[in-house]
Every structure is written in structure tokens, then in C-alpha cells.
Amino acid sequence: MKLFDLHCDTVTELRKRGETLLQNTAQVSLEQALGVFEDYSQVFAFWSEDDVDGEENYRLFHETLRYVSPMLTESDRFHPVLAVEGGKLLGGDLSRLDVLHACGVKILTLVWKDVCCVGGAYNTEEGLTPFGQQVVERCYDLGIVPDLSHASDKMAYEVFAIAERRGGTVMASHSCSRALCPHPRNLTDDMAKRIASLGGVIGVNLVPEHLGGDTVEDVCRHIWHLAEVVGEDRVALGCDLDGTSELPRGIAAVGDLPKIAERLRKNPYPEGFAEKIFYSNAQTFAKAHFF
């Protein structure tokens, strides 16, 4: 089986712990992933930490990148993709986005929490700032995909409007369904449909608080619902491993993810649905926008 996961926070954890990607105490390790999956593509997000300012986050991005770059060497079976989670590190300086692009960043999760220079997160009613509008426009100039996970509803619809005008795509790398769990971090059905209409993809995360439960069945309910709303080709996994200490029962790390596939294979969708969710949907999107 193959895996393409659209979001993890492992690189930040590795820097903090002084560990390697091959073997570590984190939720994602190459040893475990390649021991289970025949092909493994992973989006590694560099997190803009909430308790430090933009300048320090920008410095930490480069420090983390220097630390993990030797570990992110692509091979026949391992395909890393770089992302940044939280535009706070831009610090109001648009040229930093060009630097991120030159470093290989393919995805920008615009916000994380509260309000930053880009705009408001899910726990606010703020949309894009004027600088945030410039950031989204520049993302389309550079080929960086704006990621709406963590965005406020107002911000999401403002990004949709820019994407439509620019002929660009969007994604939600690690979000669940608000129809099933009313957490503001989750997507409404209309937001999910807008992402799909723009050629985007939605990665379902494994955070019990966003799932409304802590079982593999809860994960699958969100996958099934979103597939019903946007079609089975627009849903993937964005597990958020190493971004949460709480995971569904029976899942402690990347090597346990086949338990989700096992349950998906018992669903009413045609044969091959689990493989779409685990790999081919994200791979198709990545081939169009990352690789």
C-alpha cells in the first residue's frame, strides 16, 4: 500500500528533540513508514510557533530547515514536500515568501491561530489583511498553494475569490467536516465544495477534537461525508501527526494508519476507494502543483 499524507509537524519536533527522521520518538519516522508503505510521500510543515514573534519564527524556519534538510533526501520510495504552517513568520515582508519558495516550500497554511500579519484564523472573524491579500496573490505568482486549514470563514471566502480570479487552486491540508463536528477549525460543506470546484483537495486530520470522537470509525465518517459532498477524488489524508498529542484509539504513529484503510475497504464505495484516500488523490494533486 502507498501513502501520501498532506500534513505533519514532524520537522519541528525533530529539531526540538534533536532526533533524526529515520528513527525517533515522534509519531512519524522513515523506519516505520517505509516498513509499512511501499511508497511514502509526506508534506512536512514548518510550524510558525504561537508564542514567539514573526522574526523569531522566520529564524526558526531557517534553523529547522538546516537541521532537517539532510534527512529529506528523496528516494525511489520516499518523496518529501515542504510546507509552512502559519504566515506569521512573514512579518509583513513579502520578499520572505520568495525566500520560502526558493527553499522549496510548496504550500502555505496562511494562519494558525488568532490574528497575524496575513489575517485571522478560525477563532476570529477577521479576513485577510491588505498584506494578506498580497501574500495570496504572490503565492499564485510563485506557484505556492494557499492552504485554508486554520483560516477563518471570512478569510476562506476571500481566498476563494482571489483563486477564482487568478485561475488558481486552494487546499485544506488537514481539516475535517463541520457538518459532523461543529468545531470552527472544520470546513462547512459549502467551503469544501468551493475547494473542490477550484481543483483543490481536502486532507482529513486525526485530531479527536476535530473529529468529534476518538475512533477509527470517526475518521472514516469524516472521509465518507466529505467524499459524498465533493466526490471521492477530492478527499485525502492530512493526518496532523506530531501536531497533536491525542490520536484516535489504536493509532499511535504513522505505522498504524493501515487500520483506517482496513475500515475504509468495508465501505459502500467501489473497490479502490481506500487507495484513493491514502495515495492517488493527493498524488494527482501533487503532480499538478508540486512536482
Side-chain angles (χ1 to χ4, degrees), residues 12-287:
T12 300
E13 284 301 306
L14 294 180
R15 173 185 55 79
K16 289 180 176 180
R17 301 181 191 195
E19 296 180 341
T20 70
L21 182 59
L22 180 62
Q23 295 176 315
N24 56 58
T25 60
Q27 295 169 353
V28 173
S29 71
L30 269 184
E31 182 179 63
Q32 190 170 158
L34 294 179
V36 173
F37 298 103
E38 62 186 272
D39 194 274
Y40 175 48
S41 297
Q42 178 68 61
V43 176
F44 292 98
F46 293 75
W47 180 46
S48 291
E49 301 187 28
D50 192 45
D51 58 351
V52 298
D53 63 18
E55 287 298 317
E56 177 65 3
N57 271 304
Y58 189 62
R59 187 192 69 78
L60 286 171
F61 165 79
H62 288 287
E63 179 182 315
T64 305
L65 184 63
R66 285 192 298 271
Y67 182 77
V68 300
S69 284
M71 309 174 196
L72 300 179
T73 302
E74 186 167 6
S75 68
D76 289 342
R77 297 178 57 207
F78 174 52
H79 313 283
V81 178
L82 302 187
V84 164
E85 182 174 23
K88 186 177 184 179
L89 86 175
L90 297 175
D93 183 350
L94 196 61
S95 69
R96 290 184 179 181
L97 189 61
D98 290 62
V99 174
L100 298 185
H101 177 258
C103 291
V105 171
K106 304 294 185 183
I107 300 166
L108 176 63
T109 310
L110 296 168
V111 289
W112 187 73
K113 191 178 180 181
D114 300 326
V115 178
C116 73
C117 58
V118 175
Y122 67 92
N123 62 328
T124 79
E125 296 182 358
E126 301 298 318
L128 291 167
T129 63
F131 175 71
Q133 294 172 9
Q134 292 180 319
V135 168
V136 176
E137 295 278 3
R138 189 61 182 154
C139 279
Y140 290 124
D141 292 340
L142 295 170
I144 294 175
V145 178
D147 176 13
L148 296 177
S149 290
H150 290 271
S152 69
D153 290 7
K154 183 177 181 181
M155 177 184 285
Y157 281 96
E158 290 172 346
V159 174
F160 292 149
I162 296 172
E164 288 167 354
R165 175 170 52 78
R166 292 294 302 267
T169 192
V170 295
M171 67 187 297
S173 66
H174 56 301
S175 293
C176 296
S177 169
R178 204 179 299 177
L180 299 185
C181 175
H183 196 289
R185 258 280 279 116
N186 290 342
L187 300 172
T188 66
D189 285 355
D190 186 68
M191 291 162 69
K193 289 175 183 177
R194 293 289 294 273
I195 291 169
S197 73
L198 291 162
V201 67
I202 300 164
V204 172
N205 75 47
L206 307 186
V207 180
E209 185 180 2
H210 302 161
L211 295 168
D214 65 351
T215 68
V216 166
E217 187 75 17
D218 291 310
V219 179
C220 293
R221 286 192 311 115
H222 283 261
I223 292 170
W224 290 325
H225 177 79
L226 286 167
E228 184 176 321
V229 169
V230 302
E232 61 184 74
D233 295 333
R234 295 294 170 187
V235 186
L237 290 178
C239 297
D240 204 11
L241 294 174
D242 290 310
T244 177
S245 58
E246 301 292 329
L247 290 168
R249 282 177 282 148
I251 298 178
V254 65
D256 297 318
L257 296 182
K259 294 177 182 179
I260 299 172
E262 181 181 350
R263 179 64 187 91
L264 288 175
R265 291 192 181 105
K266 299 176 182 176
N267 71 65
Y269 286 93
E271 185 177 355
F273 178 74
E275 286 66 28
K276 283 188 173 185
I277 301 302
F278 265 69
Y279 182 76
S280 61
N281 289 346
Q283 174 67 6
T284 298
F285 184 79
K287 286 178 69 175

